[in-house]
Amino acid sequence: MNSYGDSSSPRGRAQIPGQHGDPGGDASGGGWSAAQEGTAPAGRASVAPRAGTGGRASVGGSAAVPPRGGSGSASAAVPPRAGSAPVGSASVGSASVGRAVPGRASVPVSPAPAAGRAAGAGRASVPVSPAAGGPAGRASVGSAAVGAAPAGRASVGSAAVGGVSGRASARASVSPAAGGPGGPGGPTGPGRRGRGAGDPAGAARAKKRKRVNMLIAAFAVFIMLAGLGVVGFTYYSTNVVLPEDTTPPQATTLYAADNKTIIAKVGTQNRTLVTIEQIPKHVQDAVAAAEDRNFYEHSGVDYKGIVRAAWNNVSGGSKQGASTITQQYARNAFDNLKDDTYARKVKEAILASKLNDEYTKPQIMQHYLNIIYFGRGAHGIEAAAQTYYGKPANKLSVAEGAVLAALIKQPEAGAGHKGYDPAVNLTDAKSRWEYVISGMVAEGWLNAPGKPPAPTLADYPMPKKPNQGGAGIDYGVNTPYGNVINYVKQEMRDKGICVDKEDQVTDAKPLCSQALMSGGYKIRTTIDTKIQKAAVETAQRKTKGSELSDQPKNLMAAVVAIDPKNGRVLAYYGGDNGTGTDYAGKNIDSSGNPYGGHPPGSSFKIYTLAAALKEGKALESRWKGRAFTPKDTKFKVSNAGVDNPECGNSCTLTVSTLKSLNVPFYHVTEAIGPDKVVDMAAKAGVSMMWRSDTNPPKGYDLTKTDPKDIAPSPFFHVVGYGQYPITVLDHANGVATFANQGRYHKAHFLYSVEKRDEVTGKWKKIADEGALKGEQRIDKDVVADVTSVLERYPAQVNHRLDDGRKAASKTGTWELKSDSDDNGDAWMIGYTPQIATAVWVGNVKDRKPLKLKDGTKISGGNLPGTIWERFMDEAHKVKDWEKKDFPPAANVGDPNTGNGEAPPPPPPPSGQPTCDPLGLFCPGGNNGGGNNGGGNPPGGPGGPGGPTAPTVPTDPRPGRDGGGGGLLPSLTPRPDND
């Protein structure tokens, strides 16, 4: 029979509650009772059975049983059962009455087997008097020697009289000592006043209380018996899922290129699994001291604690759990144990028992510490250590481990308590911390030989403030690093780390949609945090002091920087988070179509120039530069701002590039074929290009398409000066190929991917960026000639780098729409031997005219150029890169291959105004062009009266300043220090 007793009482004897000072109080044995602590001297009432002594029992009569020691008497009225022996004696025993509160006890009694004794069970009314001089109290009646019981309580067991099966319920009526109710001296004497034995109201209340308590006890016994049955059946019939079959979700951590700085952490839960060897023993002990000090002794379930909590909950006390660490693990690890019911507690106990059978204590502690919640979004000890102290779990001190252990009880504020997070409730957090430390000392885990010393309250280690450099489950998603996360996910797919179809899923290859959220990967990215900071602080609107911080709200900037030697993306700013539009890369709309490109304008001419040189043209080859209307079209090709440039129809490719003239590049593209231009862009690193005569614009994957199949239709000759959209990332990749002397490396964000071995706990590399040998896609001499022109361009647009550092650059601008003189896209691209950067400025949402706060039109030479120059200067400064020169020009090609006229006449005689050899700084400034065009003008594809085939470009409107070259009217050239 189960007893629910005080853990401090000998042999687990049941303690029966009663009403202190109330002679009408009632106590029922065999029920549930709240645990009490402590004992009272001389407070034992011991009634031991004595065969044939101290009383007689007759059928229908009563047996007077004088107590053994103390004052008072006991009589038992034992009614006969049918068929019982005529006469017998029931030895109830003698009661030694000490200090006890008056009350009534229902005592089960078994009849004696001797001849003439009653064989049937009856009820014995046993009046008991307390010892003289002591307050009236309760009798302890039992069949064995009774230990010390708390004052005012009676320990009642079953009395076996003789050896015959059968039980008698003896009710003990306890009368107060002489002097009346309340003890010696009556009502006015010492002790609390109480009603006399003759009070009818008191007797009625006592009977009512007795019935209620008996119902509770009966219900409790039923629940226990039913529970034991369920446990017994379920334990042997349930297929318990063990920890190795249920891996909890783990967050993926993304690091910067240094492999130390966390830039993002994503997952359904912020968790990183560790082995028990990676958790210091003092941290394990702190958790045991806080949650389960008998963890190393019990078998997974603390049955005494369950009984104590059960009675406390049923009797209306404060809610208690009494769950061990093993039970807590089971509750947190399995989804079907989340509800708060007695059925759950049974299942929880089953799992805890099985876990205790299957695993060692260290293994159970490991599972527990990997799954328990510590607040602030941190699941498991490793995430908690990083979140609260910014260090791995194996570096936690004793004091820090105790802080984290103290959190487990209630890590976050609730309805009744503010929790134990020191940042929220420091007073209670410290109190709980002291409880943990004192428990470790009491258990010999601190201040013992071979153990660490106990820290004092003065050593209390305050954690970091919440959300201050922490790494929650969405840390990094709502920052500019969010777009980096998106690219990492895509590259994991490309490397086969994850799959898109469920039927392809294996243990090693999860779904790509879930890989980062629950895979627990450790990913090293290519991002350099110093260079990334420079990009964000220069281009992000909300950063105070950035180039956009005080500009019109419709403006948006994007910056991408790449290491030319390996293709690693060093900085990427395409927006403020990873959930909105990425203005630097590709996006996918609701129909699955890619979008995100921007017309590059004259900045695209670097590919056209390289393609011309590859086809045998030379930098000094001459081309027509005056505006004209191409055959079979109704639109005019012109230069930005001028129909007849100073070089007329004898413009070299060098001059045409530096003055950003459109007409010569149209002629070049027509001569070599637009497919050659597209092919050169693809070789450099442009992976996608969009046609602009469809809605939405249709994208073409240049890595999978033969250029001859898409040029001249839909990509017409105007591709030569940048009408068709590309992404900022692709443009930066193309520029990086030029910076690396024609050797291509695919731009990438993934440096390496590691996954933890669940058995050893060690990280294992499962993917990396590869050998990075690159591919020579463009002839070095071709690139050298292109660079020899572009390195003169920073001075052309007044955006030289600091300290005379050599750099090559090019601007580009494209119109807002075909019938507008405003600009809609503006670029600056450029490179040094160490870094290649592309900068775009456009609109946040709807296309509006690009203007500075003073109303000046934005073109490539002003705002984008300023962002590019500032960023490049800062990047070189923080990395302390040495100054390097570019290779000299190779002067490839034939100067006589252009369609232009003979060279112009020699310079005028001395004494007249002169120009520089290229005519760049002539009186009156640069009258060169930039790019025009975009949209669907009359005569172009989709425009009124134009051809229906997409082989004709949109109108490169005359007189437009594409900003893709030439000096801005408002800018004064600085002396060229190169």
Side-chain angles (χ1 to χ4, degrees):
M1 175 177 176
N2 287 337
S3 64
Y4 299 81
D6 188 338
S7 58
S8 66
S9 298
R11 300 172 181 83
R13 179 164 297 124
Q15 305 301 323
I16 304 178
Q19 300 295 323
H20 181 68
D22 185 353
D26 178 76
S28 299
W32 290 37
S33 64
Q36 301 291 330
E37 296 181 356
T39 60
R44 290 196 300 267
S46 175
V47 183
R50 297 189 303 166
T53 305
R56 294 187 305 274
S58 61
V59 177
S62 65
V65 186
R68 183 174 50 188
S71 64
S73 64
S75 64
V78 185
R81 294 178 57 186
S84 61
V87 179
S89 66
S91 176
V92 178
S94 61
S96 177
V97 181
R99 297 167 58 89
V101 178
R104 300 181 65 81
S106 179
V107 185
V109 181
S110 298
R117 295 187 181 183
R123 296 188 61 83
S125 178
V126 188
V128 182
S129 298
R138 192 165 290 160
S140 175
V141 184
S143 59
V146 182
R153 296 240 173 221
S155 177
V156 182
S158 59
V161 184
V164 176
S165 174
R167 305 185 63 176
S169 177
R171 184 165 54 201
S173 177
V174 184
S175 301
T188 59
R192 295 181 60 186
R193 296 183 59 183
R195 293 182 177 86
D199 182 4
R205 283 193 297 274
K207 293 179 65 176
K208 182 177 181 180
R209 281 192 295 271
K210 175 186 174 184
R211 286 194 298 269
V212 171
N213 285 341
M214 290 185 67
L215 287 173
I216 292 175
F219 177 74
V221 171
F222 171 77
I223 289 296
M224 287 300 298
L225 292 176
L228 289 173
V230 172
V231 170
F233 174 79
T234 310
Y235 187 91
Y236 294 104
S237 62
T238 301
N239 181 22
V240 176
V241 180
L242 298 175
E244 60 262 26
D245 301 318
T246 57
T247 302
Q250 303 177 65
T252 292
T253 306
L254 283 79
Y255 294 85
D258 61 9
N259 209 27
K260 296 179 181 179
T261 306
I262 296 177
I263 63 172
K265 193 160 189 175
V266 293
T268 55
Q269 291 182 358
N270 178 19
R271 174 185 288 108
T272 300
L273 298 180
V274 290
T275 62
I276 196 65
E277 290 78 17
Q278 295 167 309
I279 307 172
K281 188 63 168 64
H282 57 259
V283 174
Q284 302 175 43
D285 292 339
V287 172
E291 297 296 312
D292 184 4
R293 297 185 182 181
N294 294 322
F295 170 71
Y296 296 104
E297 283 76 39
H298 61 60
S299 60
V301 181
D302 185 356
Y303 292 102
K304 291 181 179 179
I306 291 177
V307 170
R308 183 170 60 250
W311 169 254
N312 197 66
N313 295 343
V314 168
S315 62
S318 61
K319 194 170 184 179
Q320 297 180 1
S323 293
T324 65
I325 280 176
T326 314
Q327 290 173 273
Q328 289 184 52
Y329 165 74
R331 184 188 317 142
N332 283 274
F334 301 98
D335 291 336
N336 63 344
L337 294 180
K338 303 300 184 186
D339 57 313
D340 188 17
T341 64
Y342 285 102
R344 187 267 292 170
K345 293 181 184 295
V346 171
K347 294 177 183 178
E348 180 184 297
I350 295 169
L351 284 170
S353 297
K354 285 216 166 185
L355 289 169
N356 197 75
D357 292 343
E358 294 285 340
Y359 298 98
T360 64
K361 291 294 184 177
Q363 287 175 319
I364 293 173
M365 179 65 78
Q366 172 183 307
H367 294 315
Y368 175 77
L369 284 177
N370 273 321
I371 203 166
I372 205 68
Y373 184 59
F374 287 87
R376 298 192 191 181
H379 295 258
I381 188 66
E382 180 71 10
Q386 292 286 357
T387 299
Y388 285 88
Y389 290 106
K391 61 175 65 175
N394 61 6
K395 301 296 184 182
L396 290 170
S397 67
V398 173
E400 291 167 343
V403 171
L404 298 183
L407 286 164
I408 297 175
K409 180 179 178 68
Q410 187 178 333
E412 295 175 343
H417 192 269
K418 292 190 295 184
Y420 295 97
D421 188 330
V424 179
N425 187 9
L426 182 59
T427 300
D428 285 357
K430 286 186 174 182
S431 176
R432 181 73 177 166
W433 182 85
E434 289 184 298
Y435 168 81
V436 173
I437 295 298
S438 63
M440 296 176 72
V441 172
E443 296 294 333
W445 298 331
L446 293 178
N447 289 350
K451 298 294 183 180
T456 65
L457 193 58
D459 303 317
Y460 187 86
M462 282 298 296
K464 298 187 301 182
K465 293 181 180 179
N467 301 323
Q468 185 179 5
I473 61 175
D474 62 350
Y475 174 70
V477 174
N478 292 318
T479 73
Y481 288 119
N483 287 313
V484 175
I485 298 172
N486 294 333
Y487 277 104
V488 165
K489 188 184 303 182
Q490 178 178 317
E491 290 183 34
M492 290 178 68
R493 177 187 294 108
D494 295 341
K495 290 183 176 293
I497 298 174
C498 59
V499 295
D500 287 324
K501 298 180 180 179
E502 290 192 10
D503 58 358
Q504 299 174 339
V505 172
T506 65
D507 291 340
K509 294 185 178 182
L511 283 173
C512 290
S513 60
Q514 303 174 6
L516 287 182
M517 300 299 289
S518 59
Y521 298 101
K522 179 181 179 181
I523 297 175
R524 182 182 181 184
T525 70
T526 61
I527 297 296
D528 186 300
T529 52
K530 293 181 180 178
I531 300 179
Q532 175 74 13
K533 181 181 179 183
V536 172
E537 291 183 347
T538 302
Q540 186 182 44
R541 169 181 301 285
K542 67 182 183 180
T543 297
K544 186 177 181 181
S546 75
E547 296 302 322
L548 264 71
S549 62
D550 59 347
Q551 294 296 338
K553 301 299 184 183
N554 65 297
L555 297 183
M556 177 68 196
V559 179
V560 179
I562 297 174
D563 185 339
K565 300 298 182 184
N566 45 45
R568 294 170 182 162
V569 179
L570 303 176
Y572 189 94
Y573 177 68
D576 293 338
N577 59 67
T579 59
T581 299
D582 179 2
Y583 291 93
K586 287 187 291 188
N587 302 267
I588 304 297
D589 65 19
S590 58
S591 300
N593 301 312
Y595 71 95
H598 317 286
S602 288
S603 66
F604 197 81
K605 290 174 182 174
I606 65 171
Y607 308 119
T608 309
L609 179 59
L613 296 174
K614 180 178 182 292
E615 295 303 312
K617 313 305 178 183
L619 290 177
E620 297 309 309
S621 61
R622 295 182 179 274
W623 301 83
K624 294 178 179 179
R626 295 189 180 101
F628 77 107
T629 300
K631 184 181 178 180
D632 299 328
T633 69
K634 296 182 179 180
F635 65 88
K636 185 171 68 172
V637 178
S638 183
N639 306 299
V642 62
D643 282 352
N644 186 17
E646 185 174 344
C647 57
N649 281 336
S650 185
C651 303
T652 64
L653 288 181
T654 298
V655 171
S656 298
T657 302
L658 293 174
K659 287 194 172 185
S660 211
L661 302 177
N662 293 332
V663 176
F665 278 94
Y666 184 94
H667 287 303
V668 167
T669 304
E670 186 178 38
I672 66 175
D675 61 303
K676 300 295 193 303
V677 177
V678 173
D679 183 56
M680 180 58 69
K683 279 184 167 63
V686 178
S687 66
M688 179 162 282
M689 187 181 293
W690 283 263
R691 63 191 297 178
S692 53
D693 59 343
T694 61
N695 188 19
K698 182 179 179 181
Y700 291 82
D701 187 342
L702 303 187
T703 67
K704 300 177 181 179
T705 307
D706 187 335
K708 292 184 175 63
D709 295 336
I710 55 177
S713 177
F715 299 124
F716 194 59
H717 304 327
V718 290
V719 72
Y721 50 87
Q723 173 173 314
Y724 304 107
I726 61 175
T727 67
V728 183
L729 175 61
D730 276 358
H731 212 357
N733 202 171
V735 174
T737 301
F738 282 83
N740 197 34
Q741 302 179 48
R743 193 168 193 84
Y744 165 82
H745 288 277
K746 183 178 181 180
H748 60 279
F749 296 80
L750 206 60
Y751 196 113
S752 65
V753 181
E754 298 179 57
K755 191 170 179 61
R756 188 187 292 273
D757 187 296
E758 294 181 4
V759 177
T760 66
K762 296 182 179 179
W763 289 99
K764 180 181 179 182
K765 186 180 293 185
I766 60 175
D768 58 28
E769 59 186 351
L772 300 179
K773 294 181 179 179
E775 179 185 355
Q776 192 70 42
R777 291 189 172 184
I778 308 173
D779 186 86
K780 288 184 177 181
D781 289 342
V782 168
V783 175
D785 279 1
V786 172
T787 301
S788 71
V789 177
L790 299 183
E791 68 178 320
R792 298 163 68 177
Y793 203 79
Q796 176 79 3
V797 292
N798 204 27
H799 287 301
R800 302 179 185 89
L801 298 186
D802 288 344
D803 301 326
R805 185 183 295 275
K806 292 289 185 69
S809 68
K810 184 71 184 76
T811 58
T813 307
W814 200 257
E815 65 187 3
L816 178 67
K817 51 186 178 180
S818 62
D819 59 351
S820 171
D821 290 331
D822 291 310
N823 297 329
D825 298 274
W827 297 71
M828 177 85 164
I829 62 169
Y831 54 93
T832 66
Q834 294 98 341
I835 188 171
T837 302
V839 174
W840 165 86
V841 173
N843 284 281
V844 174
K845 293 181 180 179
D846 300 331
R847 286 176 69 81
K848 297 179 180 180
L850 299 182
K851 294 184 180 180
L852 298 174
K853 61 182 179 181
D854 63 1
T856 302
K857 290 182 180 180
I858 294 176
S859 62
N862 49 35
L863 183 57
T866 302
I867 293 174
W868 179 87
E869 178 187 351
R870 175 177 165 181
F871 167 75
M872 290 288 279
D873 280 336
E874 185 64 23
H876 286 85
K877 179 180 178 181
V878 298
K879 299 304 293 184
D880 195 25
W881 283 319
E882 63 176 319
K883 295 179 183 178
K884 288 186 177 182
D885 288 334
F886 296 110
N891 297 313
V892 301
D894 183 355
N896 301 313
T897 53
N899 70 347
E901 300 172 352
S910 59
Q912 296 187 20
T914 58
C915 301
D916 62 283
L918 296 177
L920 300 180
F921 302 106
C922 294
N926 175 18
N927 295 322
N931 359 328
N932 327 333
N936 296 315
T948 57
T951 58
V952 183
T954 54
D955 180 12
R957 303 179 65 233
R960 290 296 316 286
D961 176 17
L967 290 172
L968 298 175
S970 61
L971 296 178
T972 301
R974 293 181 297 187
D976 190 345
N977 297 325
D978 295 341

